[in-house]
Amino acid sequence: MPTDEATMRLSDVLPVTNPLREGMKRKRAPEPCTLVIFGVTGDLAKRKLLPAVFGLWQDGQLGAGFSIVGVGRASMTDDEFRALVLEALRTSKETDEIQEGSLELFAAALAYVGGDFDAPGTYDGVRSRLAEVESSRGAGRNAVFYLSTPPSLFETISTGLGESGLSREEDGWRRLIIEKPFGRDLQSALALNDHIHRVWEEHQVYRIDHYLGKETVQNVLAIRFGNLIFEPLWNRSYVEHVQITAAEDLGMEGRGGYYEEAGVVRDMLQNHLLQLFQLVAMEPPVAFDADAIRDEKVKVLRSVRAIPASRAHEVAVRGQYGPGALYGERVRGYREEEKVAPDSSTATFVAVKLEVDNWRWKGVPFFLRSGKRLPKKVTEVAVVFRRPPLGLFPGGLERNVLAFRIQPDEGVSLKFSSKTPGQENVLREVVMDFRYDAFGAELESPYSRLLLDAMLGDATLFPREDEVEHAWRLVSGILEAWQKPDAALPNYAAGTWGPDAADELIGPDRRWRHL
């Protein structure tokens, strides 16, 4: 196994393959620390977290003393764990190009602790391994604990860390990263926050939503506040409505049991869609830091008109996909998926109309939608502007649209009208299009960005406790109204853009963007 000295010379032996990416690296590196991943043998860790950490490490952004302690129920030696991690890195589509010799060097940073998460001995083992890597690798007394486990284990692990003293900040810092979903409704979110705070201070808690780690999501703020041509138009005087779409072409892919419990509101609306909504609707922060940005995001949620269960049918539409065709192939309906009840009333599609009662947005509707088995996988934020007050040109004018493509084909486009060549004053839609690949660099993994931010102590892209609670309050009326299985389901065919009621929700003078 390579020595620690060899690990410290990683930047000397690995070539830089992309000069632009090298120039875009963070100027700050985190203090030496250890990442402790609970549930390290699970799907999320193997497909997303480990490749993200490896990419940061291979780029030289984590420092020589960085280490990983994996924690899982399975009994494994360190060497067996290292073999598992290296195989996951070789096979994951998320792994950056592997430089010669880097896997062997990375393996030296890995250690493993096995045991049940409700057994005190497991946490004694974690404490012992932390002390070992801190001593042998110069990892410092700093640690990030990542809960890559089912939500049912969050409280158990938090309590175990607290009772073993691992949450105390004495000679270094301690931070806790919690995966979504953070609760399954308002009451459970309040209870989880209360439980977490018995052990952890709020500044130690990082509730992760990988959507906020996407470059194109962060670009919403950059376009708004970094360009004077857009921000003066970002209000009710010029914007007619806003559409936020997160469409998925996949079905359950073996996750039917989870989806029966969650549904589209918990899986997408309460977190991902509302995060995008807040970034579009928020006021300019007084500074580009965690507190200022998160303050403005919470103000948006507090300004949204409440949706009681009695009004849910007026502003929200649900749907469930039935059998249909996608990409030229027949696909089954939701009720035919594995681990799904044959009479399930779980929604796989949601469209909701939000109204923001503040000075900037009064009267401007925000339409959010997400669904499974739609025609394609695409996430987009579209700001749709008002039409000109006078029709000076023949024919109807289309509205101008500023669209942020979150995924795929990441970029920004602006649609406007231009005169066609010839004697007549005929206008036609044209599009100015910017794609991120113009920079010549691959986009950073969302998990890479967020993991590094957590190690740096930058909570800007992590929802705060009051933000999570306000988000649950906003969707509680919808969840309550949909508890009764009184909707006709399924009500849209796989491969279509959802139920007809979604078109009625957006209104006769508007149309959903068929992306």
Side-chain angles (χ1 to χ4, degrees):
M1 186 61 64
T3 65
D4 296 339
E5 183 179 0
T7 304
M8 295 174 68
R9 295 198 301 267
L10 176 66
S11 59
D12 296 331
V13 301
L14 296 185
V16 175
T17 58
N18 191 325
L20 180 59
R21 181 171 182 176
E22 178 74 8
M24 293 171 69
K25 288 179 184 176
R26 296 292 188 88
K27 297 182 185 292
R28 286 191 301 151
E31 298 175 280
C33 67
T34 303
L35 175 63
V36 182
I37 303 176
F38 284 83
V40 72
T41 59
D43 185 61
L44 174 65
K46 290 190 289 187
R47 286 195 305 111
K48 299 289 187 179
L49 301 184
L50 292 169
V53 175
F54 174 74
L56 292 170
W57 179 88
Q58 187 172 242
D59 282 346
Q61 298 191 70
L62 299 183
F66 174 79
S67 301
I68 294 177
V69 174
V71 187
R73 288 196 175 99
S75 177
M76 268 191 291
T77 65
D78 283 353
D79 285 341
E80 289 171 332
F81 175 59
R82 288 164 182 154
L84 181 148
V85 171
L86 298 192
E87 179 62 20
L89 293 176
R90 291 188 185 100
T91 57
S92 174
K93 297 179 180 179
E94 304 290 330
T95 304
D96 289 348
E97 181 180 350
I98 298 173
Q99 305 296 334
E100 184 178 354
S102 62
L103 285 179
E104 291 74 18
L105 290 169
F106 186 64
L110 304 175
Y112 182 77
V113 175
D116 291 333
F117 295 144
D118 57 357
T122 301
Y123 301 92
D124 293 338
V126 172
R127 187 173 58 248
S128 174
R129 295 314 297 268
L130 272 176
E132 181 182 321
V133 299
E134 288 165 359
S135 173
S136 64
R137 294 182 51 79
R141 300 299 299 275
N142 308 311
V144 179
F145 300 95
Y146 197 118
L147 306 193
S148 179
T149 65
S152 59
L153 293 171
F154 290 170
E155 293 186 8
T156 299
I157 298 172
S158 175
T159 298
L161 291 170
E163 291 178 346
S164 62
L166 287 167
S167 63
R168 288 199 296 268
E169 296 184 313
E170 296 171 341
D171 300 327
W173 46 257
R174 294 284 192 265
R175 293 169 189 152
L176 181 73
I177 301 180
I178 305 179
E179 264 290 344
K180 82 170 187 74
F182 194 88
R184 56 173 287 104
D185 53 27
L186 176 59
Q187 293 306 314
S188 61
L190 290 169
L192 182 55
N193 270 332
D194 180 66
H195 186 93
I196 293 296
H197 287 148
R198 296 174 193 172
V199 178
W200 306 84
E201 299 292 333
E202 176 62 21
H203 75 269
Q204 296 178 281
V205 181
Y206 290 72
R207 302 167 187 83
I208 195 167
D209 184 336
H210 76 274
Y211 257 55
L212 290 178
K214 293 179 181 290
E215 284 282 354
T216 41
V217 171
Q218 298 159 46
N219 203 36
V220 174
L221 296 183
I223 294 293
R224 279 193 63 185
F225 303 131
N227 299 278
L228 190 59
I229 61 174
F230 294 120
E231 179 57 22
L233 309 180
W234 215 267
N235 56 64
R236 58 189 170 87
S237 298
Y238 300 98
V239 177
E240 202 281 329
H241 74 279
V242 176
Q243 294 183 34
I244 301 176
T245 297
E248 298 182 87
D249 54 359
L250 295 177
M252 290 302 102
E253 306 300 309
R255 299 172 71 236
Y258 158 77
Y259 211 83
E260 281 284 85
E261 292 283 331
V264 68
V265 173
R266 294 183 177 93
D267 189 51
M268 293 296 295
L269 177 60
Q270 185 272 339
N271 37 73
H272 301 329
L273 289 182
L274 287 185
Q275 288 294 335
L276 293 173
F277 161 69
Q278 291 170 80
L279 295 179
V280 174
M282 64 183 275
E283 293 296 318
V286 297
F288 207 85
D289 62 33
D291 287 338
I293 290 176
R294 297 195 292 180
D295 285 346
E296 296 305 332
K297 290 172 66 184
V298 171
K299 287 179 185 177
V300 173
L301 294 179
R302 294 178 61 188
S303 300
V304 176
R305 190 176 302 175
I307 306 174
S310 59
R311 284 194 58 239
H313 67 282
E314 301 174 12
V315 297
V317 170
R318 65 170 162 171
Q320 184 188 95
Y321 67 86
L326 194 60
Y327 305 125
E329 297 183 2
R330 298 293 299 174
V331 294
R332 56 188 176 183
Y334 176 73
R335 294 180 177 181
E336 302 169 80
E337 300 275 13
E338 295 179 10
K339 300 180 181 179
V340 171
D343 59 349
S344 173
S345 60
T346 299
T348 64
F349 176 96
V350 62
V352 62
K353 175 184 177 181
L354 300 182
E355 299 174 277
V356 184
D357 286 339
N358 64 16
W359 189 272
R360 180 183 292 265
W361 296 116
K362 181 68 175 179
V364 177
F366 286 74
F367 296 98
L368 285 59
R369 64 172 172 166
S370 181
K372 292 281 193 181
R373 283 298 190 202
L374 300 185
K376 61 177 64 176
K377 178 180 176 64
V378 59
T379 302
E380 182 197 77
V381 175
V383 180
V384 183
F385 294 93
R386 297 186 183 277
R387 291 190 176 96
L390 292 176
L392 300 179
F393 301 93
L397 288 178
E398 291 293 326
R399 296 184 175 102
N400 304 137
V401 179
L402 178 64
F404 299 84
R405 293 189 305 277
I406 308 301
Q407 63 178 358
D409 303 324
E410 293 86 351
V412 184
S413 67
L414 177 64
K415 185 184 77 171
F416 59 96
S417 298
S418 177
K419 180 184 176 298
T420 60
Q423 298 286 332
E424 302 294 330
N425 284 324
V426 177
L427 301 187
R428 191 177 72 183
E429 293 179 26
V430 294
V431 177
M432 294 176 62
D433 194 64
F434 158 73
R435 292 173 181 259
Y436 258 83
D437 56 19
F439 285 123
E442 293 183 5
L443 295 183
E444 188 177 36
S445 157
Y447 280 101
S448 295
R449 169 65 190 267
L450 295 173
L451 282 166
L452 186 57
D453 277 356
M455 295 178 204
L456 290 166
D458 183 350
T460 303
L461 299 178
F462 295 84
R464 203 166 55 193
E465 63 171 320
D466 52 345
E467 182 180 341
V468 172
E469 292 172 6
H470 279 294
W472 278 118
R473 286 189 177 93
L474 182 55
V475 303
S476 289
I478 298 173
L479 290 172
E480 181 184 346
W482 289 359
Q483 283 179 348
K484 299 178 180 179
D486 55 357
L489 297 174
N491 58 9
Y492 70 98
T496 66
W497 282 103
D500 293 339
D503 295 324
E504 298 171 8
L505 177 69
I506 202 169
D509 192 38
R510 307 183 186 102
R511 65 176 182 271
W512 290 106
R513 286 169 57 81
H514 284 193
L515 307 173

